[in-house]
Amino acid sequence: MHDWKEIVRRRLTPLPLEPGRRDEVIEELSHQLEDAYKEALSAGVSEPEALGRSLAQFNDWENLRKDVFRAVKAEELPVWHQRGILSPKRPWVWATLLLALALLSLAGFRQALTAVSVSFKADPWQESFFSTRALAQMERQAIAQADARALAFVALHHPDINEAARDAEKAIALDAHLTWISARFARVLQGEHNPAPWIARLKTWDPDNAVPYLLEAGTFFDKSPLVARWPSLGIPELRRALVAESDFRLPMRKAYAAPKYDNYAAQRFELDRAVFEQQGWDRPDLLMFAEASQPYPNLFATRIYAQYLVEDVGETAEKAGRNEEAAAQYRTVAQFGVRMERASTDIERLIGIAIRKISYKRLLPLLRLQGRTEEAALLECDVADLNEGLELTGGYRLTERAASRAAPLVLISGVVVVVFAAATLAWLGAVTLLRWKENGSSLLNYFASVASVAVPLLLLASLGLYGAYYPYVRHINQFENAGQLVRDVGPLWGTLAGLHWGLLHRGSWLPMMLWPTVWCIVVAVIGIIILRWVANRRESGGLPE
Amino acid sequence: MGITLDRELKKGSAELLILALLEEKARHGYEIGKLIAERSEGIVRFHVASLYPLLYRLERRGWVRGEWEPTGGRRRRFYRLTSTGHKTLAAQRARWREFSSAMNRIVEVRCA
């Protein structure tokens, strides 16, 4: 004879009703099983089949347990008594949560999360990407430890130019090899900053480099009232007016004659990366934005001077029959272009190519005219190489296209991760409270029952985010130079930063509607949860089959 | 609309069926389930897993009252209508008649 009460008790436990009521329910359901069993036997069914038929009446005991509790108490079964697949009693729910948290130990996943924050930053390209607090702390430590490199880092990235200049002085005093950081202060900046002493220092320290001279000419260019008039003047007039000024012409002449072109990007990249590693920041994004804020010499002015040498000086010499003098001018420009092309940043490389093309456009016909066919043929090969170099930017566009597809995916999955992380946190808080006080709040219990779905969804969204970002996961040591950093991850981070500007700053409805929409969604979700809870309390019957 | 109607219909009709069966006399759960199947000639069958929670709900609302009574050598829980249950049954029955006659007027109109 079967112990029907025990069969029901085993399957229905725990049923957190008052003991008397619970026993009544168990007894009543055991009668149902027993009656069905006896009826099946009396119909001539075998004993095992009769037992099977009887038990099949309640094929989902977990639901029955919930329904009975809800019917008797008019509220959800306490979440810690639930045994559904998403119950906090299930070890796999906690394993899922741990797995989601374990993803945080992956540097790539942390980078992906950072990607989301970039889209919501006002302007990640600004120097202020580093917090002044962090920089101030680093400065204090660097001064205490006489750490010239850390001081140089602060000098390069501090948003306050005066503070930065003071740190630069200290860094250079500690280590003269760091004099190149003066380049940051060698441009006309806002306020009362005077770049002249910094340029003079650079010229003395690195006299063979074109960059300090370009910075000097650029300072004149930036201040010159001619520049403001150039749209009306036109480029030819502007360059003639500029070269008439010795403060522009002389440094430019020295720059074009200098044996090397070094904008200190490599030194800066190495310094930044070393400090990043020292600080434990494995943040290619931060490194990229830090490099992006590097000041260049005035490339427009540099190109204008190339045009002057080719189209004014060279052409005049050619017209006067002084072909050798013209060729020498063209070669000066071409050689400067070659030196500039060796710079590590793409923009300088492209300007270097452009300057060489300006030169070759005149030099090639001149060489043919002079019958120097072999030299002309070599130059033609050079021109073909230049075009190939320019085509490299086509590859860059491909990377950009891939990034433009990946960036929205990263952003959306990142936002979803943040939403589910918040929901999981709320669920965690609710189940902890309910563990402590089981009958604390029926609304809280209802929320904990519903929100348990956030845990697996958090893991799925996290995997989605990691998957979308995975092609861009890099350690900062994997980049050879700033150019490679910009080429590899620049398109993605640039697109992410652009999404922010595109969505929020181009006069779209989003600036006005984004937060109200988010607010409405939050209110709607809370409203739905409360309404469902109220509806559940009103109870409903069922007529299945 | 369709879903709401269906849900309301199921909910209301399940309650109505049980209240109607208990109007005649007090019955236990097993008997209620059997009677529904028998009287509807097998067309309406009540899933047992839904029957007991529904009985407990009706009891909590005060429409039925469950009492243990000895029968056949053991005790069974019998449910009988309360006075509130009688009033509710009358109201639900009237609504059901209204509803079914309205349905008939629509469904039978071509046959008339």
Side-chain angles (χ1 to χ4, degrees):
Chain A
M1 198 59 193
H2 299 287
D3 185 349
W4 297 104
K5 277 191 190 175
E6 188 49 34
I7 289 173
V8 175
R9 190 186 308 280
R10 209 170 50 238
R11 288 169 169 76
L12 221 54
T13 301
L15 187 60
L17 298 173
E18 293 73 27
R21 188 72 184 104
R22 182 174 56 228
D23 291 343
E24 283 183 343
V25 169
I26 289 169
E27 186 176 348
E28 191 173 15
L29 295 179
S30 70
H31 289 157
Q32 174 72 33
L33 289 183
E34 189 177 355
D35 287 347
Y37 172 76
K38 284 179 178 167
E39 189 183 301
L41 283 181
S42 62
V45 170
S46 67
E47 197 279 332
E49 199 183 331
L51 179 64
R53 279 191 196 180
S54 171
L55 292 176
Q57 295 177 100
F58 301 115
N59 52 4
D60 188 344
W61 287 90
E62 178 58 17
N63 255 342
L64 178 66
R65 208 161 61 87
K66 283 184 184 172
D67 286 349
V68 167
F69 185 87
R70 199 182 295 127
V72 175
K73 305 288 281 185
E75 60 189 50
E76 287 293 315
L77 186 65
V79 73
W80 281 101
H81 287 281
Q82 291 177 16
R83 286 190 306 216
I85 51 168
L86 296 176
S87 157
K89 284 197 129 178
R90 296 280 181 190
W92 81 267
V93 172
W94 298 100
T96 306
L97 185 59
L98 282 177
L99 211 58
L101 288 173
L103 282 174
L104 283 171
S105 67
L106 299 175
F109 183 68
R110 291 198 300 274
Q111 283 177 16
L113 280 177
T114 313
V116 184
S117 69
V118 163
S119 285
F120 291 94
K121 286 210 185 291
D123 188 359
W125 304 97
Q126 289 292 313
E127 285 272 337
S128 55
F129 200 73
F130 294 99
S131 80
T132 44
R133 223 176 90 184
L135 290 173
Q137 194 185 346
M138 195 186 289
E139 182 192 24
R140 279 194 299 275
Q141 282 177 356
I143 290 169
Q145 296 164 5
D147 185 346
R149 289 166 74 81
L151 270 172
F153 181 88
V154 177
L156 287 173
H157 300 292
H158 203 293
D160 183 330
I161 196 69
N162 296 319
E163 291 250 353
R166 276 195 291 276
D167 288 324
E169 294 283 8
K170 287 175 198 161
I172 294 168
L174 284 169
D175 183 355
H177 291 104
L178 293 169
T179 306
W180 59 266
I181 61 172
S182 307
R184 187 202 165 178
F185 310 95
R187 289 288 304 262
V188 176
L189 300 158
Q190 290 147 343
E192 296 301 308
H193 176 74
N194 178 16
W198 298 94
I199 294 171
R201 175 183 276 175
L202 263 186
K203 277 165 42 181
T204 311
W205 180 72
D206 194 9
D208 291 340
N209 188 1
V211 168
Y213 302 107
L214 290 177
L215 289 167
E216 188 180 3
T219 303
F220 175 82
F221 183 91
D222 290 340
K223 284 183 185 167
S224 172
L226 289 167
V227 178
R229 285 172 43 215
W230 84 263
S232 56
L233 278 177
I235 295 287
E237 273 307 308
L238 174 67
R239 69 172 178 251
R240 276 176 214 124
L242 280 169
V243 294
E245 303 285 345
S246 60
D247 285 346
F248 181 79
R249 188 181 64 251
L250 295 179
M252 272 297 181
R253 186 184 293 164
K254 285 181 184 167
Y256 271 71
K260 70 170 182 179
Y261 179 100
D262 181 3
N263 70 350
Y264 312 115
Q267 292 93 320
R268 181 180 159 122
F269 179 75
E270 284 305 323
L271 174 80
D272 282 348
R273 185 161 64 178
V275 174
F276 267 55
E277 285 194 78
Q278 190 185 330
Q279 298 291 324
W281 301 337
D282 186 16
R283 296 277 305 272
D285 60 306
L286 213 56
L287 190 59
M288 193 197 76
F289 289 121
E291 300 314 299
S293 64
Q294 162 161 337
Y296 296 106
N298 191 317
L299 299 175
F300 181 48
T302 308
R303 190 182 161 140
I304 279 182
Y305 190 74
Q307 285 172 322
Y308 161 73
L309 288 181
V310 172
E311 290 169 24
D312 294 341
V313 181
E315 200 178 316
T316 309
E318 249 188 279
K319 279 179 185 164
R322 300 192 306 274
N323 287 349
E324 284 308 318
E325 186 189 328
Q329 292 296 340
Y330 300 151
R331 284 200 179 89
T332 300
V333 173
Q335 282 157 3
F336 177 81
V338 169
R339 289 193 289 276
M340 196 173 181
E341 215 184 314
R342 291 183 194 132
S344 60
T345 62
D346 282 344
I347 183 74
E348 285 166 301
R349 200 170 59 82
L350 289 174
I351 296 295
I353 290 174
I355 285 175
R356 283 177 72 188
K357 289 188 96 171
I358 290 169
S359 151
Y360 293 163
K361 197 177 164 189
R362 298 277 180 186
L363 184 58
L364 197 57
L366 181 62
L367 289 175
R368 285 195 190 118
L369 190 73
Q370 291 176 319
R372 296 153 81 168
T373 48
E374 198 176 326
E375 212 176 325
L378 281 171
L379 205 58
E380 269 182 301
C381 290
D382 262 9
V383 172
D385 285 348
L386 285 182
N387 292 333
E388 215 169 86
L390 281 172
E391 278 164 20
L392 286 177
T393 56
Y396 188 72
R397 276 196 293 274
L398 276 177
T399 323
E400 273 189 330
R401 275 202 290 276
S404 68
R405 284 191 294 270
L409 277 177
V410 168
L411 182 60
I412 291 166
S413 46
V415 169
V416 173
V417 165
V418 171
V419 169
F420 285 132
T424 301
L425 212 60
W427 173 82
L428 203 59
V431 294
T432 309
L433 277 173
L434 290 166
R435 181 78 176 168
W436 173 59
K437 199 173 179 186
E438 191 174 277
N439 298 315
S441 156
S442 52
L443 181 59
L444 195 66
N445 188 61
Y446 184 74
F447 169 77
S449 307
V450 174
S452 57
V453 75
V455 181
L457 289 179
L458 172 66
L459 179 64
L460 285 176
S462 300
L463 290 172
L465 171 64
Y466 190 48
Y469 184 79
Y470 188 75
Y472 300 93
V473 173
R474 303 276 193 288
H475 187 271
I476 54 172
N477 269 337
Q478 287 178 271
F479 303 104
E480 281 178 21
N481 51 44
Q484 195 199 355
L485 171 71
V486 171
R487 278 191 296 277
D488 283 6
V489 294
L492 178 79
W493 293 98
T495 313
L496 280 168
L499 280 177
H500 170 85
W501 288 102
L503 291 175
L504 300 179
H505 289 278
R506 283 188 192 151
S508 66
W509 61 274
L510 270 171
M512 287 177 289
M513 294 307 294
L514 179 70
W515 292 113
T517 308
V518 170
W519 176 243
C520 287
I521 290 169
V522 169
V523 170
V525 168
I526 293 171
I528 288 167
I529 289 175
I530 292 173
L531 283 175
R532 286 197 60 179
W533 175 67
V534 170
N536 274 358
R537 283 181 70 91
R538 283 177 59 199
E539 315 118 355
S540 63
L543 223 176
E545 290 189 50
Chain B
M1 179 66 187
I3 291 170
T4 311
L5 178 67
D6 186 48
R7 192 184 291 166
E8 288 301 311
L9 196 62
K10 271 188 176 179
K11 182 178 134 186
S13 54
E15 288 170 358
L16 178 58
L17 286 176
I18 290 173
L19 294 176
L21 287 174
L22 296 180
E23 188 185 26
E24 300 163 21
K25 62 171 193 166
R27 299 181 196 277
H28 53 75
Y30 188 76
E31 189 185 1
I32 293 169
K34 295 288 291 176
L35 271 177
I36 290 172
E38 277 171 24
R39 290 195 183 174
S40 69
E41 295 173 348
I43 291 173
V44 179
R45 297 186 65 189
F46 219 111
H47 200 294
V48 174
S50 302
L51 172 64
Y52 287 93
L54 182 51
L55 281 170
Y56 302 152
R57 258 197 299 279
L58 297 181
E59 192 176 6
R60 184 168 46 75
R61 284 178 192 164
W63 296 358
V64 303
R65 189 174 65 248
E67 281 171 337
W68 292 97
E69 289 176 17
T71 175
R74 60 180 180 173
R75 65 175 197 159
R76 303 290 306 244
R77 191 168 174 83
F78 281 80
Y79 294 90
R80 53 174 50 85
L81 280 189
T82 61
S83 57
T84 317
H86 279 290
K87 284 178 200 161
T88 307
L89 173 62
Q92 288 202 1
R93 191 174 264 151
R95 272 211 303 277
W96 176 259
R97 282 184 185 133
E98 256 178 60
F99 173 76
S100 56
S101 65
M103 287 296 287
N104 281 336
R105 281 198 298 277
I106 297 164
V107 175
E108 303 296 336
V109 70
R110 284 169 72 92
C111 306

